[in-house]
């Protein structure tokens, strides 16, 4: 089906690129991260000064041909893409962080894992202990899971009438 094709495509493209950053931390890998943010998002972002999980996820999405949220807020991904019937690798996981209604964390879905009788979600993300890593988070922290959308398919989504895509024209094939 079309959804399963998108699913496989999103998983392979985003995860393949995201894995290239495994182990890069905000201090020793600061130049790698700032160069990546500048190249993919056109912004000078210092990962030692701002939370960068959403910035990194947006950069990975943009570089692999997907629409992003153009926001530094992790929870911006709650209104992004589409909710999958069944999550698969490469989907976006949005997590609660603390008791704040604004704070959150975002990364790429890598499956579920049961440990000591508890269910966890595996997340490949940036700014996880100041590093790009894969970590386990309790499923109770999951606020939503969203499926990435290819830039060229974004025009066909419901609710995007009147959206200005001129800034993306060079990227839409």
């Amino acid at each position: 089906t079309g959804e399963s094709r998108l699913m496989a495509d999103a998983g392979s493209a985003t995860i393949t690129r995201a894995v290239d950053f495994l182990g890069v931390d905000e201090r020793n890998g600061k130049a790698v991260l700032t160069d990546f943010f500048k190249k993919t998002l056109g912004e000078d972002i210092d990962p030692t000064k701002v939370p960068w999980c959403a910035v990194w996820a947006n950069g990975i999405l943009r570089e692999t041909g997907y629409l992003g949220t153009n926001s530094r807020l992790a929870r911006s991904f709650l209104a992004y893409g589409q909710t999958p019937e069944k999550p698969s690798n490469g989907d976006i996981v949005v997590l609660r962080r603390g008791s704040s209604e604004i704070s959150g964390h975002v990364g790429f879905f890598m499956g579920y894992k049961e440990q000591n009788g508890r269910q966890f979600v595996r997340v490949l993300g940036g700014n996880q202990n100041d590093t790009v890593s894969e970590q386990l988070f309790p499923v109770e922290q999951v606020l939503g899971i969203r499926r990435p959308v290819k830039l060229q398919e974004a025009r066909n989504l419901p609710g995007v009438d009147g959206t200005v895509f001129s800034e993306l024209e060079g990227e839409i094939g």
Side-chain angles (χ1 to χ4, degrees):
T1 67
E3 183 176 317
S4 59
R5 179 187 55 76
L6 284 174
M7 177 174 63
D9 188 32
S12 62
T14 57
I15 297 304
T16 298
R17 182 59 178 132
V19 164
D20 290 342
F21 285 89
L22 273 174
V24 175
D25 72 84
E26 66 184 39
R27 298 215 186 286
N28 297 327
K30 181 178 174 179
V32 171
L33 292 171
T34 55
D35 288 350
F36 176 67
F37 300 152
K38 182 71 172 176
K39 182 179 102 181
T40 57
L41 305 172
E43 289 189 62
D44 289 314
I45 296 169
D46 183 344
T48 63
K49 295 188 173 144
V50 298
W52 51 276
C53 64
V55 175
W56 182 78
N58 272 304
I60 295 291
L61 289 166
R62 175 65 64 90
E63 192 173 73
T64 55
Y66 290 87
L67 188 65
T69 65
N70 297 322
S71 173
R72 294 181 186 192
L73 295 176
R75 288 190 185 211
S76 68
F77 282 93
L78 288 172
Y80 167 82
Q82 300 166 323
T83 302
E85 287 181 35
K86 181 181 177 196
S88 41
N89 289 0
D91 284 344
I92 302 293
V93 180
V94 184
L95 300 151
R96 176 180 295 107
R97 192 177 71 189
S99 59
S100 169
E101 293 292 318
I102 298 170
S103 295
H105 182 64
V106 66
F108 295 102
F109 180 84
M110 295 294 289
Y112 292 107
K113 181 175 183 168
E114 188 174 323
Q115 191 171 307
N116 301 323
R118 286 187 71 197
Q119 193 73 359
F120 293 87
V121 62
R122 293 173 43 220
V123 177
L124 173 57
N127 204 21
Q128 296 183 160
N129 294 325
D130 302 332
T131 304
V132 176
S133 64
E134 185 180 309
Q135 290 189 4
L136 298 177
F137 294 89
V139 293
E140 303 84 51
Q141 285 183 247
V142 175
L143 295 171
I145 298 178
R146 308 296 289 177
R147 174 94 8 105
V149 178
K150 280 285 202 184
L151 286 171
Q152 70 267 25
E153 294 168 2
R155 288 191 171 116
N156 302 324
L157 290 177
V160 294
D161 290 345
T163 302
V164 177
F165 286 94
S166 59
E167 66 273 11
L168 302 175
E169 283 300 326
E171 299 176 46
I172 297 176

